[in-house]
Amino acid sequence: MKLRKRIMACTLAAAMLLGSATGVYAEGSRTNDLTVTDVSAQEYQITGKIEESDSYKELKETAPDIVEIIDQVNDGTVEMADFVTKLTEEADALTDETAKKDLEKVIETLRTKDFVTGFVDLIALEAAEKNEEGMYEVTISVPSLTDELRNVQVLHYSTERSLWEIVDPTEIDMEEKTLTAEFEDLSPIAVIADSTTK
């Protein structure tokens, strides 16, 4: 009887350990493997190791709370629900009513989203030129794009304007696994899509 209990306890412990290890792997495996396509490569660059980018280093000085949440998303310790909670706290602290409403709109959209990628830094090179609408038009390769994803968008933190925004792609090619989007300015981005669990 004692032997049977010990075997059961060991089996249960092993199952729990395996389950928790699998969960950690899944959470920590969010890809940052984004690149600009050949079409955009002469004008733009993506820094997958965001901590090496100038925008990140600048943010670390000016907005450490933003850097903290970017790091947490990238290392898999913060999922979308926690991210929304943090942005809600940020919105509650805002005194500028216009900025508050804009952030609340972003939060409302994010409530039904999941991260497809972590954050990377999108950078304009010297050759980059804005289009007729005054926007940077970039085509990005996103290997984790699949046909199952719905309403793919880009979450962008503008270091220039100090705000979060959601950018709708102008084109998505699931076969080539690319998306094209227009940005007023360039800095940290993450790809998001409709949550499959909501």
Side-chain angles (χ1 to χ4, degrees), residues 68-125:
E68 183 183 7
I69 196 167
I70 285 173
D71 286 346
Q72 289 171 338
V73 169
N74 283 358
D75 67 22
T77 56
V78 161
E79 296 302 322
M80 188 59 81
D82 300 317
F83 188 82
V84 165
T85 299
K86 287 177 184 282
L87 288 196
T88 303
E89 289 168 3
E90 188 182 321
D92 291 343
L94 288 173
T95 53
D96 182 323
E97 285 302 315
T98 303
K100 187 171 186 164
K101 282 181 184 173
D102 289 344
L103 183 52
E104 285 172 346
K105 279 170 65 177
V106 169
I107 291 166
E108 202 51 45
T109 300
L110 292 178
R111 288 188 194 284
T112 59
K113 299 286 183 181
D114 278 330
F115 286 104
V116 176
T117 71
F119 283 95
V120 297
D121 200 14
L122 180 56
I123 301 162
L125 300 177

Side-chain angles (χ1 to χ4, degrees), residues 156-174:
H156 173 228
Y157 183 78
S158 168
T159 54
E160 194 171 304
R161 291 171 287 142
S162 301
L163 57 80
W164 291 100
E165 65 181 353
I166 291 174
V167 178
D168 290 313
T170 54
E171 185 182 340
I172 297 175
D173 187 331
M174 287 298 189

Side-chain angles (χ1 to χ4, degrees), residues 21 34 43 48-50 81 94 98 117 174 185 196:
L34 280 72
E43 299 180 77
K49 291 185 177 179
I50 195 170
L94 288 173
T98 303
T117 71
M174 287 298 189
D185 49 74
T196 55

